[in-house]
Amino acid sequence: MPNRLLRVNAYTTLDLVDGRARGHEFESDAPGVVNVTAPREDPDHVTLEVELDGTEIDDLAAHADEFDLSPAQARTLAEALESTADRVEAAQNGDDL
C-alpha cells in the first residue's frame, strides 16, 4: 500500500485484510490494515487503527480511522469479536451453537 498513513511493520496486528469503504454513493473493496496499540509510557487507552489502500478507492481521499478505547471498551470489543468468530467458525463447520 503506497502512501500509507499508518506505520506497518512486524508488530502490526493485521495487515492486508479484506476491507470495504461504503458511502451514500459508492462502495469499494480494498486491502487494508488493522492495528491495535497503546501509548508506550503511562498507557491510558487502547487505540484501534484502520486504513484501507487509498489507491484502490477513487471516491475517498487517503485516510486512516482511529478509535481510542478504554480498557473496558477494548475488552467488550474483544469479547464480541471472539463470540462472533466462534459463531462463524461453527457455521463453516456445520455445527449448531
Side-chain angles (χ1 to χ4, degrees):
M1 283 174 38
N3 199 22
R4 280 190 183 149
L5 299 172
L6 297 180
R7 235 171 48 177
V8 176
N9 57 37
Y11 302 105
T12 303
T13 307
L14 298 172
D15 55 335
L16 297 179
V17 296
D18 294 332
R20 180 179 316 103
R22 184 175 34 197
H24 289 291
E25 302 293 325
F26 74 94
E27 185 170 311
S28 297
D29 293 330
V33 173
V34 178
N35 195 39
V36 177
T37 187
R40 287 182 185 253
E41 295 183 25
D42 299 321
D44 61 347
H45 65 276
V46 175
T47 300
L48 174 63
E49 304 170 314
V50 179
E51 181 179 7
L52 295 177
D53 183 353
T55 64
E56 298 284 327
I57 303 171
D58 295 330
D59 298 306
L60 189 62
H63 73 287
D65 296 311
E66 296 183 0
F67 303 91
D68 289 339
L69 307 170
S70 69
Q73 290 170 321
R75 286 188 183 93
T76 298
L77 180 60
E79 290 169 8
L81 287 167
E82 187 76 31
S83 66
T84 303
D86 289 345
R87 186 168 53 88
V88 170
E89 194 170 58
Q92 290 175 340
N93 294 331
D95 300 337
D96 291 328
L97 276 184

